[in-house]
Amino acid sequence: MELIGGSSTRFDVNWEANYYSVFEEVPMHTNRRDLLLAGACAASTALVGSVAARLRAEESNPPPETPTIRLAKNPSICIAPQYVVRDLLNAEGFTNVVYVESDAGVEQTRAIAKGDIDFTLHFSGPLLLEIDRGASITVVAGVHVGCFELFAKEGIRSVADLKGRTVGQQGVGSSPHVFISAMAALVGLDPAKDIEWVTSTSVKPIELFAEGKIDAFLGFPPEPQRLRAQNIGHVIVNSAQDRPWSQYYCCMLAGTREFVRKNPIATKRVVRAMLRATDLCVSSPALVARRMVDGGFTPRQDYAAQTLADVPYNRWREYDPEDTIRFYALRLREAKMLKSNPTKIIADAADWRFLNEVRRELGS
């Protein structure tokens, strides 16, 4: 694992000045009237200002048990809240926010279990598989609904049509492999027998699909945005829109079990910052897209902006994260990929105390 970033600067209590100087990069000599008239950032200012007011009211509360928090960085940009949460974490008392290079699948899940990463947003499917194998992971919140899109070539109109077809994936246990397996099981296919999986280490599955060498490919942002922009293939499942997938969280916030157990104050502050960052993706998508590019999390601002428009970040308050765990655990049991029943997984690897407290605070 390569540590690729950090911060040793704590936000000052003067949030308006800091927000515009650090987050918006507006010169500090800009007068207050001009700042308040900056309509594109008004919602963001209100959000950060509300955090400042609450933190001032909680000055007597103890700080987080550790000043350092480590988050994952991977090619997927649907986890946008994680990429713009640094300032909010600084405000919560974390003076050192570090991003750890990872993948978007198996490696990331194992990094959490090993304690190489403290928290990350991740698709629930791979998390459940590792938890089933005994990994020390605790899921603490649901963050956003689906972002995956299943693309196919002409002649394939549904998941059932994938029988006997070639489907690309990054590896067994990767997010695309787990998600397609769950979809296949739901329509009566045996993903291990009925689908011809193509795993490539030298050429990415999206490139194989673009070149017409495989029949289907499941992508996560910015891949769907690229394929649509280039008019390659057609979508047969959009997990942000199509039932039942759109009724459950896609990415959930998970942490190292030992960290959650030893650092309850820090854990709650991470949950609160991440959900506020999720709200920021709704209130100020253009700002978030620019910050993702400026922070080196993605090279294309247009794809980032489209991702923020495509993914329903505004629905995290609507669902119960336990329902997501039950749903995917059952689907993966049907696919013969998971042994534990949902009740055991929830008992062993979920802790909603922090989410419930934050929801009450945010009026959810």
Side-chain angles (χ1 to χ4, degrees), residues 307-321:
T307 295
L308 292 164
D310 292 339
V311 178
Y313 294 102
N314 61 334
R315 295 166 64 182
W316 69 262
R317 292 170 171 83
E318 299 178 19
Y319 300 118
D320 182 347

Side-chain angles (χ1 to χ4, degrees), residues 16-17 20 26-28 30-39 45:
E16 288 186 356
Y20 283 104
V26 173
M28 287 308 297
T30 304
N31 63 49
R32 183 177 179 84
R33 176 180 172 82
D34 290 339
L35 294 179
L36 293 176
L37 291 175
T45 308

Side-chain angles (χ1 to χ4, degrees), residues 170-217:
Q170 288 91 340
V172 175
S174 65
S175 295
H177 174 246
V178 174
F179 196 72
I180 295 174
S181 296
M183 289 192 286
L186 191 63
V187 299
L189 298 183
D190 183 335
K193 297 178 180 179
D194 294 334
I195 293 176
E196 185 179 341
W197 297 101
V198 176
T199 303
S200 173
T201 55
S202 58
V203 181
K204 292 182 179 180
I206 188 174
E207 305 300 342
L208 295 177
F209 181 73
E211 295 168 6
K213 295 180 179 179
I214 56 176
D215 297 319
F217 163 77

Side-chain angles (χ1 to χ4, degrees), residues 12-14 51-63 91 269:
D12 186 83
V13 293
N14 187 352
V51 177
R54 176 185 49 73
L55 291 177
R56 284 193 293 268
E58 294 182 355
E59 286 180 348
S60 60
N61 287 355
R269 289 173 178 259

Side-chain angles (χ1 to χ4, degrees), residues 14 24 46 49 53 72 86 124 127 129 134 140 155 163 165 177 202 218 238 248 261 303 348:
N14 187 352
E24 263 300 292
R86 182 196 297 273
S124 55
L127 290 171
L129 293 185
V140 295
K163 185 173 183 177
R165 302 284 191 159
H177 174 246
S202 58
L218 187 143
N238 183 325
Y248 301 96
R261 185 182 68 81
Y303 288 171
D348 293 346

Side-chain angles (χ1 to χ4, degrees), residues 61-130:
N61 287 355
E65 296 87 348
T66 173
T68 298
I69 201 76
R70 297 169 300 167
L71 305 172
K73 176 185 178 183
N74 61 59
S76 175
I77 61 173
C78 62
I79 59 173
Q82 188 158 303
Y83 296 152
V84 295
V85 76
R86 182 196 297 273
D87 296 329
L88 292 166
L89 286 172
N90 289 157
E92 292 282 2
F94 298 101
T95 56
N96 187 35
V97 180
V98 180
Y99 286 92
V100 181
E101 193 78 52
S102 183
D103 71 352
V106 178
E107 180 185 332
Q108 182 177 197
T109 312
R110 291 175 180 169
I112 305 170
K114 291 189 298 181
D116 295 334
I117 296 171
D118 299 316
F119 287 94
T120 191
L121 299 183
H122 199 7
F123 174 42
S124 55
L127 290 171
L128 295 181
L129 293 185
E130 287 301 311

